[in-house]
Amino acid sequence: MKNQNITKKLFYSFATASLLSLAACSSDDEPTVKETSKIEIKDFAVKVAAGDTTLNFTASGNWRAALSSTSWIQIDPMTKAGSKGDAKIILNWNAHTGITPRSAELSISVENEAPVVILITQLPNEPIVVVNKTESLLNINPKADDGRGAFCDTLTIQSNVKWSVKEQPKWVDYEVIGTTEPQEGVPTTIQLVVKGKPAAFNAPVMKGNFILGKSGEASLDHTVELQTVSELNVFSAENEEQPLSKVILRSSPEAGGRFVGRMVVKANTAWSILDMPEWAATISTDNSAEYANKLITRKTVSFELKEDFLDTEGFNQTIRIRDEKTGLQSDVELVFEGTGNDYFESKLAFPPDFIFDASVYTPSFDYVEGAILDMDFDMVSARDYNTLEEAPFEFFFLHTNEIVIFQQQVYWAGVEMAPAQTRAALNTKKLTLYVNDRQMDFSDENKNVQRSAYMVVAPKGTLFDDLFDPATGELKNEFFLSSRLVRQKPVAKELPEADIPSEVNFAKEGGKQTFGVKNFDMIAFKIDGNDAGALGNWISFEFDDMSNITEVSVIAQPNTSGKKRSSLIEIMYFDLATSEESVIYSFKVNQE
């Protein structure tokens, strides 16, 4: 704490001194001198930083101190007032963040004396504009503009003056994050987002100066050198980190054997494909739709060989992926290497969810002799053949429950030859897929359940076990991708029918009553909840023919008990598909 001891001197004349000397020896009417406070504090200034000081003086009586402003400087409450004698005032002030000086008046009042007023001034802060960087490469932020993406960067500005953007390139814009605004004399930290305008880009690299500062004070100017880079890159569809210069169209099981190739184009520009060859097709020739919604785009482009050029010769053509605005370009060689003698391709026209009927001819498909239900499809191959044995491929039908593919063949479906057509150097053969009539298929274990199989097309000479991965026992992916699920509906259930009334009555002598029935091959009888064959039952049943039941007889034994009796008869049906047993008929049998 700093002490300021300033004493105001009292000057006395020799005459006054003599009078005082005489007064010490004179009578009561001798004159007296009034005592005055010793306060000799001058105006002073304090530093920008927070601090304190102590002012010392001597008071001739009771005193009190006060400040004209207490917003930045205060008197210690214990030193605001006092009595006669040595006195002190302790002042505390806050740090000054403004860029103009501020002041307050300290008034010291002693009783019977005029107040002493001291001016206290605090020095101002230096004006500053500080930016966290001097150069900025505007990168693409995929989340900017609600996910659209933009070239942008964030600048952090610290200042205590009202600054503004003095200069900016025409291809950028900016906005303040939040609602903070620069204020004169108030230290503030502001986040400023600088964004490029995509519509203004016309070169791979754009450069410019972004200048901010205080108007009329060039010394506070701060320049940020802006740069943005446009990109157009082509990568492998299998490895998007690997640059690509060649796309080879190959036969793909996933594409039904068609010759296809893929690439991935990543860019922050609007591109299009130029110089497409007549022998290849693609539905993706530019990224205009993607670029309209998002500045940074990733697009998979698939190429397919046109059928009219599916022959044994190869083709190649260099295509250009180009942004006409910036001049960016990537060249890619598109290659079709031709087909070999063992090449074949499936043209399975039927939809994945098609289900064959159980036993009714399907009129929407051509009937082939020897087939019950059938459907035509095409096979294209480089080899000509007249029988399936001569074809470069063969078919397997694998048992499945549509969840698991079992390592087990089924024989209720097959393929037959149909008349062939020839196109160019490749041969198109029409084949027919067929399934058996379930009503007549005696190998069908359960006609009332839908059955399914996977039809697999494999190169000629493929063994059945070669279709499966020996480590996992699962169908290999190359065969699964080219397979097609074949399903057949169940045979409609024929539930038992009977003309038995709800009550059957017998005389006490007993007897037999016969009723007509249908489809009674999977039924059982219960009497009062017990099996019909249990001992002690007075009712029994008789069938006309165990293999083709058309009649059933209810037989009652003579009643010798002397009392009327009755029992509830239930006809139980056993469902082979679900292994569930249910009551389909019930009737009462009464006897006098």
Side-chain angles (χ1 to χ4, degrees), residues 280-350:
T282 178
I283 60 173
S284 303
T285 58
D286 60 57
N287 70 335
S288 55
E290 291 80 4
Y291 191 70
N293 297 317
K294 199 170 185 180
L295 179 65
I296 181 170
T297 62
R298 173 203 172 279
K299 189 166 187 176
T300 300
V301 181
S302 297
F303 301 96
E304 181 176 336
L305 185 72
K306 293 180 180 178
E307 289 191 2
D308 290 343
F309 295 89
L310 209 169
D311 54 27
T312 56
E313 297 180 3
F315 304 97
N316 65 76
Q317 170 77 38
T318 298
I319 62 173
R320 293 180 294 156
I321 299 92
R322 181 177 174 82
D323 175 23
E324 296 296 341
K325 194 172 184 182
T326 63
L328 288 174
Q329 177 174 307
S330 289
D331 293 344
V332 175
E333 186 180 4
L334 203 59
V335 178
F336 168 57
E337 297 174 334
T339 56
N341 190 45
D342 293 330
Y343 164 73
F344 64 87
E345 178 183 343
S346 305
K347 299 285 187 179
L348 302 176
F350 52 95

Side-chain angles (χ1 to χ4, degrees), residues 161 173 211 222 299 308 373 388 417 424 568:
V161 299
D173 202 351
I211 303 175
H222 195 101
K299 189 166 187 176
D308 290 343
L373 306 164
L388 284 179
M417 283 285 294
L568 177 65

Side-chain angles (χ1 to χ4, degrees), residues 132-133 135-156 171-177 191-198 201 206 210 224-230 268 295-296:
N132 68 329
K133 57 179 68 178
E135 59 181 20
S136 178
L137 176 64
L138 297 191
N139 297 310
I140 289 182
N141 179 357
K143 297 181 179 179
D145 288 345
D146 297 327
R148 182 182 180 276
F151 288 105
C152 65
D153 201 354
T154 302
L155 305 179
T156 302
W171 49 270
V172 301
D173 202 351
Y174 65 92
E175 64 177 321
V176 175
I177 298 178
Q191 301 290 316
L192 191 71
V193 178
V194 182
K195 300 190 296 183
K197 301 175 183 177
F201 297 155
M206 302 284 287
F210 189 80
V224 178
E225 297 178 357
L226 298 181
Q227 176 177 311
T228 182
V229 178
S230 299
N268 51 38
L295 179 65
I296 181 170

Side-chain angles (χ1 to χ4, degrees), residues 497-560:
E497 299 178 18
D499 60 3
I500 304 173
S502 59
E503 288 197 6
V504 176
N505 297 303
F506 288 95
K508 64 180 179 178
E509 291 79 16
K512 175 180 177 181
Q513 295 190 41
T514 301
F515 305 95
V517 296
K518 289 172 60 177
N519 308 323
F520 258 44
D521 54 340
M522 296 300 295
I523 58 97
F525 287 85
K526 286 192 175 183
I527 302 174
D528 295 330
N530 300 312
D531 291 338
L535 295 177
N537 285 334
W538 58 278
I539 301 170
S540 60
F541 304 92
E542 187 178 275
F543 303 96
D544 61 337
D545 187 336
M546 291 301 293
S547 62
N548 186 19
I549 302 170
T550 58
E551 289 183 347
V552 62
S553 298
V554 181
I555 303 169
Q557 302 297 323
N559 186 0
T560 59

Side-chain angles (χ1 to χ4, degrees), residues 116-417:
V116 176
V117 178
I118 300 104
L119 179 66
I120 305 171
T121 303
Q122 188 173 28
L123 300 176
N125 220 326
E126 291 294 326
I128 59 168
V129 177
V130 178
V131 184
N132 68 329
K133 57 179 68 178
T134 57
E135 59 181 20
S136 178
L137 176 64
L138 297 191
N139 297 310
I140 289 182
N141 179 357
K143 297 181 179 179
D145 288 345
D146 297 327
R148 182 182 180 276
F151 288 105
C152 65
D153 201 354
T154 302
L155 305 179
T156 302
I157 300 102
Q158 295 173 311
S159 72
N160 57 13
V161 299
K162 284 190 175 183
W163 55 266
S164 62
V165 176
K166 291 185 169 183
E167 181 181 320
Q168 67 185 88
K170 293 181 179 179
W171 49 270
V172 301
D173 202 351
Y174 65 92
E175 64 177 321
V176 175
I177 298 178
T179 57
T180 306
E181 295 290 342
Q183 297 181 45
E184 197 76 16
V186 179
T188 55
T189 300
I190 295 176
Q191 301 290 316
L192 191 71
V193 178
V194 182
K195 300 190 296 183
K197 301 175 183 177
F201 297 155
N202 55 20
V205 179
M206 302 284 287
K207 295 182 178 180
N209 288 331
F210 189 80
I211 303 175
L212 50 81
K214 183 174 174 60
S215 178
E217 297 187 30
S219 61
L220 296 179
D221 286 357
H222 195 101
T223 301
V224 178
E225 297 178 357
L226 298 181
Q227 176 177 311
T228 182
V229 178
S230 299
E231 296 182 358
L232 175 60
N233 300 299
V234 180
F235 298 98
S236 164
E238 289 71 31
N239 182 1
E240 295 188 12
E241 301 301 319
Q242 178 181 340
L244 188 69
S245 61
K246 180 185 290 187
V247 175
I248 301 177
L249 306 187
R250 291 190 171 94
S251 178
S252 169
E254 188 176 10
R258 296 187 301 277
F259 284 89
V260 296
R262 297 185 303 156
M263 67 181 183
V264 173
V265 183
K266 294 182 178 179
N268 51 38
T269 62
W271 54 263
S272 59
I273 297 178
L274 306 176
D275 301 334
M276 274 291 296
E278 62 174 347
W279 46 268
T282 178
I283 60 173
S284 303
T285 58
D286 60 57
N287 70 335
S288 55
E290 291 80 4
Y291 191 70
N293 297 317
K294 199 170 185 180
L295 179 65
I296 181 170
T297 62
R298 173 203 172 279
K299 189 166 187 176
T300 300
V301 181
S302 297
F303 301 96
E304 181 176 336
L305 185 72
K306 293 180 180 178
E307 289 191 2
D308 290 343
F309 295 89
L310 209 169
D311 54 27
T312 56
E313 297 180 3
F315 304 97
N316 65 76
Q317 170 77 38
T318 298
I319 62 173
R320 293 180 294 156
I321 299 92
R322 181 177 174 82
D323 175 23
E324 296 296 341
K325 194 172 184 182
T326 63
L328 288 174
Q329 177 174 307
S330 289
D331 293 344
V332 175
E333 186 180 4
L334 203 59
V335 178
F336 168 57
E337 297 174 334
T339 56
N341 190 45
D342 293 330
Y343 164 73
F344 64 87
E345 178 183 343
S346 305
K347 299 285 187 179
L348 302 176
F350 52 95
D353 58 351
F354 181 81
I355 303 178
F356 285 97
D357 285 335
S359 59
V360 179
Y361 169 60
T362 308
S364 57
F365 301 96
D366 294 335
Y367 177 74
V368 175
E369 186 176 357
I372 303 301
L373 306 164
D374 52 72
M375 179 184 296
D376 290 342
F377 64 96
D378 290 340
M379 291 294 295
V380 177
S381 66
R383 185 193 307 175
D384 194 12
Y385 56 92
N386 296 311
T387 66
L388 284 179
E389 287 71 24
E390 298 172 351
F393 51 82
E394 55 189 305
F395 297 91
F396 295 90
F397 291 88
L398 309 180
H399 175 53
T400 180
N401 59 7
E402 301 191 23
I403 299 176
V404 178
I405 301 176
F406 300 98
Q407 199 164 341
Q408 172 190 350
Q409 293 194 70
V410 299
Y411 299 96
W412 52 266
V415 174
E416 295 287 349
M417 283 285 294

